[in-house]
Amino acid sequence: MADGISDMIDSNGPVGFLRLFRLVSAARDSASSLELMDLVRLMDMALMQTALDWEGLDAENLDERAFLNLIREKQQIAHQTHIHAVQIEMA
């Protein structure tokens, strides 16, 4: 799995999904702490859709177990991976 994480960091697309997943997850945690349960449910749906888009999958083609495993995998990656800032040099 470590190789998969390093491959993900080297690619621009998945890093964008990683950042999005982290941002939505943080928003979900904030909504939960404020007991805004409707917003928590919306953030859960956004996390699920982000995980699907990240992998290029369609929810209709996954069974419930595969879908839950996908969400868990993305949560683990989001919590284990550290993103370094990229410096852009101006000419």
Side-chain angles (χ1 to χ4, degrees):
M1 183 164 198
D3 292 335
I5 291 173
S6 61
D7 291 343
M8 180 189 61
I9 292 171
D10 292 338
S11 172
N12 288 332
V15 171
F17 281 114
L18 176 63
R19 287 183 177 158
L20 179 61
F21 197 91
R22 284 183 175 174
L23 287 170
V24 174
S25 184
R28 186 215 179 276
D29 292 344
S30 295
S32 181
S33 70
L34 295 170
E35 299 181 10
L36 301 171
M37 300 318 292
D38 289 338
L39 188 54
V40 169
R41 284 188 280 282
L42 286 172
M43 294 295 102
D44 284 340
M45 288 187 280
L47 285 170
M48 289 184 254
Q49 190 61 53
T50 301
L52 289 169
D53 291 346
W54 191 342
E55 289 297 318
L57 299 173
D58 186 1
E60 294 179 11
N61 297 330
L62 291 176
D63 64 14
E64 185 176 348
R65 179 177 233 164
F67 190 64
L68 293 174
N69 287 337
L70 174 67
I71 300 297
R72 281 190 208 105
E73 175 189 326
K74 297 308 177 193
Q75 287 173 331
Q76 286 178 331
I77 291 170
H79 288 86
Q80 292 175 354
T81 307
H82 181 72
I83 301 174
H84 299 282
V86 177
Q87 289 184 337
I88 300 173
E89 294 183 26
M90 301 297 273

